[in-house]
C-alpha cells in the first residue's frame, strides 16, 4: 500500500512537472502580455498569480475552478530603465516587463493625445486604436490626469501592459520617449512605476542659420533628435550681418538668396510642435543687422567722422525702428510659440571710449527722449524696451543677451525681460548674481560650456559632452563657478548653442556628429542637475546603444 502511494505520488509529480512545462510554454507563446508570472501589485514580493487568473486577465471571462493553485514563478526585482535623460524615480517590481511582440495596440483615453498615440505606435510597430475603454493584454494606454508639472508623467508597467499618464500632453509625450528608449533594439520596459519630470522648464538648443544656411531636412532631423531627448526649445538665429535667412513679405529686399521659405518654416514649426518643442525666433537688433543694412544703407550708423559702424543701425532714426518692428510683427504670425529672443548684444556704438562724443546724433536723441543727463546707453535700453513692447503685444515672453543690459542707466530694461547669459567678456561685464539679485530670471547659455562655434575663433573650443556632464550644471552661468543655490529658482534652464562664425569649417554632418554627445549631456543636467548615477563612460556607452 505504501509502495503504491509512493508510485502514485511519483507519477503525479511527473504529470505536475509536465503541467508546469506546458503552462510556461503557453505563457511564452502568448507573450509578456499574459503576465502569468508577474506580481499583480507592483510590489517587491514574488508573484502568485494562478493560470486561471491569467486566463481571466486575458479573455475577460470568469476563472475556471481548480482544486489547487497552478504553478508560479518569481522574477527578480526590476532595474530602473536606462534612458537619456535618466528617469528621476523608479519603483521596482517583480515581473517580465513589456516589449512589443506583434499585435499590441496603443489606445488613448483623451482625444488630445491622438498625435502622441499615433507617433509611438508607428515607432514601436504597434496598431493605433484610438480612444478605447476596454483593456487588452499588451496595451499601451495614454491618458491625461493628475496635477503638478505639465511636463511630468507616470509610467506603469504591470500585468503585461503599459500605462502612461500625466497632467499635460507634453508629459505624456515624454513618457512615450522613455518607453521608446527602453524598448529600442528589442529591449524590454522593466516592470514597475516610473515617476519622472524635469528639474528645469527650459531645455533648449539654439542654431545660427544666419551665417550658415542649414537645410530644412537637417533641421527637422535635429527636431526629432531633440524631441526624443526631451528638449523643449529650438532657437533660430536667422538674421545677422552675413545674411537674412527667412522669406519676408514686408521687406523682401533684405532676404538672402539662400533662405528658407515660409512654407518650409511652417513645416519646421509644425514638426517641432508635434514634439512639444517651442521654436524661439531671434532677430538681433540694434546690432548684427548687416544684411538689413545692405538693402537700406541710409539706416547704417555712422560716427561723428562719417565712418560707417559695422552691423549697427542708427537708432536715432524712426525708420530704423519701423523696419525692425515690421519684421517682428510679420514673424509673430509665422512663429506662434510663447517665447521670443530680441538679441540686443554687441551694439558697436557702446564699445568705444566715449559713445556720446563719437555718436552725437545718438546722444542728442537720448537727451531729447529721456532728459538732459541721458546717454547712448539709455537710448539703446529704450530701443530694447520698445522692441519688447512690440513683441509683448503678441503675447510673447521676451529675452535678450546679457550684454544688452547696461549698468548705471537712468532707463531700466523692462522688468519682464529675461537675461540670456552667455558671456562675461563684454565691456563693463556684470556677474550673473547682479541680474539675479535684481530679481530677474536668467537663462544659461554659458559660452564656456555650451557654445559650439564653427572654426573655433578667438578663445572658443568645441565643447565636449564629458566636460558638460562632469563639470556643468544650470547654476554655472559664467565660467566654471556656480551661483549660490538660493538663486536656483530664478534660472529656468538653459540652451546649448551652435554658432556659425566660419560656416565652411564643418559640414552639416560634422556638426550633427560634433554636438551629439554635448546635447545628451546638456539635457541630462537640465532634466536632473544632480550628480548622474552613471559614469561618463557608462553614459556614452548607453548613448551608443540607444542610437
Amino acid at each position: 500500500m505504501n509502495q503504491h502511494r509512493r508510485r502514485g505520488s511519483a507519477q503525479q509529480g511527473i504529470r505536475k512537472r509536465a503541467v508546469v512545462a506546458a503552462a510556461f510554454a503557453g505563457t511564452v507563446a502568448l507573450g509578456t502580455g499574459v503576465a502569468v508570472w508577474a506580481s499583480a501589485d507592483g510590489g517587491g514580493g514574488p508573484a502568485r498569480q494562478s493560470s486561471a487568473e491569467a486566463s481571466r486577465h486575458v479573455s475577460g471571462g470568469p476563472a475556471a475552478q481548480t482544486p489547487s493553485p497552478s504553478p508560479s514563478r518569481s522574477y527578480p526585482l526590476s532595474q530602473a530603465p536606462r534612458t537619456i535623460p535618466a528617469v528621476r524615480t523608479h519603483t521596482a517590481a517583480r515581473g517580465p516587463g513589456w516589449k512589443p511582440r506583434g499585435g499590441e495596440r496603443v489606445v488613448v483615453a483623451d482625444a488630445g493625445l491622438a498625435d502622441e498615440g499615433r507617433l509611438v505606435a508607428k515607432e514601436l510597430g504597434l496598431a493605433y486604436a484610438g480612444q478605447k475603454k476596454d483593456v487588452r493584454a499588451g496595451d499601451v494606454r495614454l491618458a491625461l490626469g493628475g496635477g503638478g508639472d505639465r511636463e511630468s508623467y507616470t509610467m506603469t508597467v504591470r500585468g503585461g501592459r503599459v500605462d502612461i499618464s500625466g497632467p499635460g500632453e507634453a508629459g505624456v509625450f515624454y513618457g512615450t520617449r522613455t518607453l521608446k528608449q527602453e524598448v529600442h533594439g528589442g529591449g524590454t520596459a522593466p516592470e514597475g512605476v516610473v515617476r519622472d519630470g524635469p528639474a528645469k522648464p527650459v531645455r533648449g538648443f539654439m542654431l545660427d542659420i544666419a551665417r550658415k544656411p542649414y537645410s530644412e531636412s537637417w533641421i527637422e532631423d535635429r527636431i526629432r533628435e531633440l524631441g526624443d531627448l526631451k528638449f523643449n526649445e529650438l532657437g533660430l538665429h536667422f538674421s545677422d550681418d552675413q545674411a537674412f535667412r527667412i522669406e519676408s513679405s514686408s521687406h523682401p529686399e533684405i532676404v538672402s538668396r539662400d533662405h528658407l521659405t515660409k512654407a518650409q518654416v511652417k513645416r519646421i514649426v509644425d514638426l517641432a510642435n508635434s514634439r512639444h518643442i517651442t521654436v524661439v525666433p531671434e532677430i538681433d537688433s540694434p546690432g548684427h543687422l548687416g544684411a538689413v543694412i545692405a538693402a537700406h544703407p541710409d539706416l547704417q550708423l555712422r560716427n561723428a567722422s562719417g565712418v560707417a559702424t559695422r552691423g549697427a543701425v542708427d537708432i536715432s532714426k524712426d525708420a530704423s525702428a519701423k523696419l525692425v518692428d515690421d519684421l517682428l510683427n510679420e514673424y509673430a504670425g509665422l512663429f506662434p510659440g510663447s517665447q521670443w529672443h530680441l538679441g540686443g548684444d554687441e551694439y558697436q556704438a557702446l564699445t568705444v571710449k566715449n559713445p556720446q562724443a563719437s555718436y552725437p546724433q545718438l546722444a542728442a536723441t537720448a537727451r531729447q527722449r529721456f532728459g538732459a543727463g541721458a546717454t547712448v546707453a539709455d537710448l539703446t535700453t529704450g530701443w530694447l524696451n520698445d522692441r519688447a513692447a512690440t513683441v509683448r503685444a503678441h503675447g510673447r515672453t521676451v529675452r535678450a543677451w546679457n550684454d544688452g543690459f547696461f549698468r548705471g542707466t537712468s532707463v531700466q530694461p523692462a522688468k519682464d525681460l529675461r537675461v540670456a547669459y552667455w558671456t562675461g567678456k563684454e565691456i563693463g561685464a556684470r556677474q550673473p548674481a547682479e541680474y539675479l539679485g535684481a530679481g530677474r530670471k536668467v537663462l544659461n547659455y554659458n559660452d564656456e560650456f555650451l557654445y559650439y562655434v564653427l572654426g573655433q575663433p578667438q578663445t572658443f573650443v568645441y565643447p565636449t559632452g564629458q566636460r558638460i556632464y562632469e563639470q556643468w550644471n544650470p547654476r554655472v552661468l559664467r565660467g566654471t563657478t556656480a551661483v549660490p543655490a538660493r538663486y536656483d529658482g530664478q534660472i529656468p534652464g538653459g540652451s546649448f548653442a551652435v554658432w556659425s562664425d566660419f560656416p565652411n569649417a564643418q559640414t552639416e554632418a560634422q556638426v550633427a556628429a560634433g554636438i551629439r554627445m554635448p546635447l545628451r549631456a546638456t539635457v541630462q543636467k537640465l532634466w536632473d542637475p544632480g550628480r548622474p548615477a552613471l559614469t561618463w563612460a557608462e553614459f556614452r556607452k548607453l548613448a551608443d546603444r540607444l542610437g
Side-chain angles (χ1 to χ4, degrees):
M1 185 68 175
N2 290 337
Q3 282 183 335
H4 178 74
R5 285 178 179 169
R6 283 198 297 271
R7 189 179 302 116
S9 297
Q11 290 171 344
Q12 288 172 358
I14 292 170
R15 284 196 296 270
K16 186 173 182 179
R17 286 193 295 272
V19 170
V20 172
F24 181 72
T27 301
V28 172
L30 285 170
T32 58
V34 177
V36 170
W37 313 116
S39 170
D41 62 4
R48 296 297 178 196
Q49 184 181 20
S50 70
S51 59
E53 290 171 330
S55 175
R56 181 173 68 248
H57 181 74
V58 174
S59 67
Q65 298 300 311
T66 57
S68 61
S70 296
S72 62
R73 167 183 155 196
S74 295
Y75 284 88
L77 278 174
S78 60
Q79 299 294 313
R82 290 294 180 93
T83 59
I84 297 175
V87 300
R88 306 293 292 279
T89 67
H90 175 255
T91 303
R94 299 184 190 275
W98 180 94
K99 69 187 298 182
R101 296 180 181 274
E104 296 89 355
R105 61 182 191 164
V106 175
V107 298
V108 298
D110 305 272
L113 295 172
D115 289 343
E116 289 76 12
R118 289 191 181 95
L119 177 62
V120 74
K122 180 179 179 181
E123 291 170 332
L124 299 184
L126 309 179
Y128 176 68
Q131 285 183 276
K132 299 290 182 183
K133 293 183 178 180
D134 63 313
V135 176
R136 292 185 188 176
D139 275 357
V140 174
R141 178 174 291 273
L142 311 182
L144 294 174
D149 184 351
R150 295 184 65 80
E151 290 191 307
S152 66
Y153 68 93
T154 299
M155 185 175 76
T156 304
V157 180
R158 179 185 296 152
R161 300 188 307 277
V162 179
D163 289 282
I164 300 173
S165 64
E169 293 176 13
V172 175
F173 172 72
Y174 296 143
T176 68
R177 300 306 86 193
T178 294
L179 181 63
K180 178 184 177 183
Q181 287 194 31
E182 286 177 321
V183 302
H184 177 81
T188 298
E191 202 86 3
V193 181
V194 168
R195 291 182 177 87
D196 198 15
K200 294 299 181 182
V202 176
R203 304 175 301 281
F205 169 60
M206 196 228 75
L207 181 65
D208 171 13
I209 66 172
R211 283 173 275 197
K212 182 179 179 69
Y214 291 85
S215 65
E216 177 189 357
S217 62
W218 191 91
I219 296 171
E220 289 175 342
D221 284 345
R222 299 290 72 70
I223 290 171
R224 295 183 185 94
E225 179 182 16
L226 295 172
D228 283 353
L229 294 170
K230 304 185 178 84
F231 280 89
N232 65 359
E233 280 193 1
L234 168 63
L236 289 182
H237 175 93
F238 63 91
S239 169
D240 213 303
D241 294 339
Q242 293 79 0
F244 192 98
R245 297 288 186 190
I246 295 179
E247 174 187 359
S248 171
S249 56
S250 66
H251 289 281
E253 73 281 0
I254 69 174
V255 179
S256 302
R257 182 183 60 81
D258 195 347
H259 66 272
L260 295 172
T261 67
K262 286 188 175 182
Q264 289 176 307
V265 173
K266 186 178 186 304
R267 288 194 292 268
I268 288 169
V269 170
D270 288 346
L271 179 63
N273 286 341
S274 75
R275 265 62 173 181
H276 296 275
I277 294 171
T278 298
V279 180
V280 184
E282 181 192 355
I283 300 176
D284 204 346
S285 78
H288 293 282
L289 284 171
V292 171
I293 292 168
H296 294 272
D298 55 309
L299 300 183
Q300 185 158 30
L301 178 65
R302 295 180 179 275
N303 67 14
S305 302
V307 177
T309 303
R310 184 174 184 268
V313 294
D314 189 334
I315 58 176
S316 70
K317 295 183 176 181
D318 291 340
S320 296
K322 182 181 183 307
L323 190 152
V324 174
D325 281 348
D326 286 346
L327 296 172
L328 295 176
N329 287 320
E330 175 183 359
Y331 290 112
L334 186 62
F335 296 100
S338 63
Q339 305 294 314
W340 200 283
H341 201 317
L342 289 174
D345 63 314
E346 299 179 327
Y347 188 49
Q348 297 301 308
L350 293 169
T351 63
V352 298
K353 184 176 181 180
N354 188 338
Q356 283 66 238
S358 295
Y359 299 96
Q361 76 276 32
L362 300 183
T365 303
R367 292 191 295 270
Q368 180 183 352
R369 286 192 60 186
F370 302 114
T375 65
V376 173
D378 286 310
L379 185 65
T380 308
T381 303
W383 168 280
L384 189 66
N385 286 345
D386 289 344
R387 307 294 77 73
T390 298
V391 174
R392 195 183 299 113
H394 294 281
R396 306 299 195 266
T397 299
V398 189
R399 69 188 67 167
W401 298 115
N402 62 286
D403 50 334
F405 295 74
F406 308 108
R407 180 190 286 115
T409 56
S410 59
V411 178
Q412 293 297 303
K415 291 185 178 180
D416 63 341
L417 264 173
R418 294 183 172 189
V419 179
Y421 200 101
W422 72 280
T423 188
K425 303 180 180 73
E426 77 276 15
I427 296 174
R430 300 164 68 186
Q431 292 287 341
E434 286 195 41
Y435 302 96
L436 295 163
R440 291 194 184 275
K441 291 189 175 182
V442 179
L443 294 160
N444 194 323
Y445 289 77
N446 187 333
D447 65 347
E448 177 79 17
F449 289 93
L450 306 180
Y451 261 37
Y452 193 96
V453 185
L454 298 192
Q456 304 182 104
Q458 301 176 48
T459 59
F460 289 108
V461 295
Y462 293 129
T464 67
Q466 181 173 2
R467 190 159 181 256
I468 296 168
Y469 190 78
E470 295 178 344
Q471 300 179 31
W472 179 82
N473 68 65
R475 290 196 290 115
V476 181
L477 286 160
R478 171 178 172 171
T480 59
T481 304
V483 298
R486 67 179 179 274
Y487 292 128
D488 187 65
Q490 290 174 240
I491 304 171
S495 186
F496 187 86
V498 171
W499 292 100
S500 307
D501 290 41
F502 289 91
N504 297 322
Q506 289 191 341
T507 65
E508 286 186 346
Q510 288 172 324
V511 174
I515 65 176
R516 181 175 175 274
M517 289 309 299
L519 283 177
R520 283 152 177 78
T522 299
V523 81
Q524 173 60 48
K525 302 304 279 292
L526 290 168
W527 194 264
D528 185 351
R531 184 176 181 177
L534 300 182
T535 65
W536 171 250
E538 291 169 335
F539 185 80
R540 187 179 185 97
K541 185 177 180 180
L542 174 63
D544 291 342
R545 181 174 68 79
L546 295 176

